[in-house]
Amino acid sequence: MFYIGNTFDKKANKGYKTIQNAKKEAEKNGLSVWDEEGVKLYPLKVEVTDDVPDDAALEEKPDGSVNAYDENGEKVGEVPAEEVKEIMDEITVEDVEAAAAAARSEEKVHGTIRRVFDGRLRLRRRPSFEDDAICGVTMFDEKNVEKKAKIGDRVLYKTTDGYWISGDPEHTEFIPEE
């Protein structure tokens, strides 16, 4: 059974046999969907984090189920394989992009980057370390920059000519404008 409500309460919340029906009703009324153990299944808030329980916690069990954790990283139950598939089928490209954007911060900067790497650096179309963002290479000495993007623990700078270049200390040095 799946239950809809603002909080999990088996007795007070209406029960549904399928997650699809529970989700439809929850969407209409701005509510959440909970499973039998009180694990929130909808709406999913996808968050990117490097604060993950030990590697064994992420392993799929032989029956296909996975552990479920609360926001404090404490195990709160298990999610059966069928529900995992249903949940994964509901995650859209937009959800993944929104999570990636949330993990990325951008700020305006004024200054110059100096290449300290003794080789070519990749030019990127957008602030991303994905291969499809690469659009060329460069061997500049210094470039003026206007933005800084932090993606996880890595940095990219946007040059005034519109390209993104690595801000990793082994590649470039940022010199603020005075």
Side-chain angles (χ1 to χ4, degrees), residues 9-10 24 26 37 51 63 65-66 102-103 120 134 146 148 175:
D9 184 345
K10 271 187 179 181
K24 283 180 191 174
E37 280 95 40
D51 185 18
D63 65 356
S65 65
V66 295
R120 295 182 179 118
I134 299 169
E146 60 189 19
K148 175 182 178 180
I175 305 160

Side-chain angles (χ1 to χ4, degrees), residues 16 19 37 62-63 65 73 107 113 129 144 149 156-157 160 178:
Y16 290 84
I19 192 166
E37 280 95 40
D63 65 356
S65 65
E107 63 179 277
I113 54 171
F129 287 100
N144 291 329
L156 287 168
Y157 286 101
T160 53
E178 295 180 16

Side-chain angles (χ1 to χ4, degrees), residues 117-128:
F117 179 68
D118 191 27
R120 295 182 179 118
L121 293 174
R122 293 183 178 121
L123 293 172
R124 298 172 186 279
R125 291 183 194 93
R126 64 182 191 281
S128 170

Side-chain angles (χ1 to χ4, degrees), residues 101-148:
R104 180 180 69 224
S105 65
E106 290 183 23
E107 63 179 277
K108 288 188 178 201
V109 295
H110 298 285
T112 304
I113 54 171
R114 178 179 297 138
R115 181 174 57 93
V116 296
F117 179 68
D118 191 27
R120 295 182 179 118
L121 293 174
R122 293 183 178 121
L123 293 172
R124 298 172 186 279
R125 291 183 194 93
R126 64 182 191 281
S128 170
F129 287 100
E130 299 296 319
D131 288 344
D132 67 343
I134 299 169
C135 61
V137 294
T138 184
M139 285 193 65
F140 68 93
D141 288 323
E142 290 185 351
K143 286 240 179 224
N144 291 329
V145 293
E146 60 189 19
K147 271 191 180 176
K148 175 182 178 180

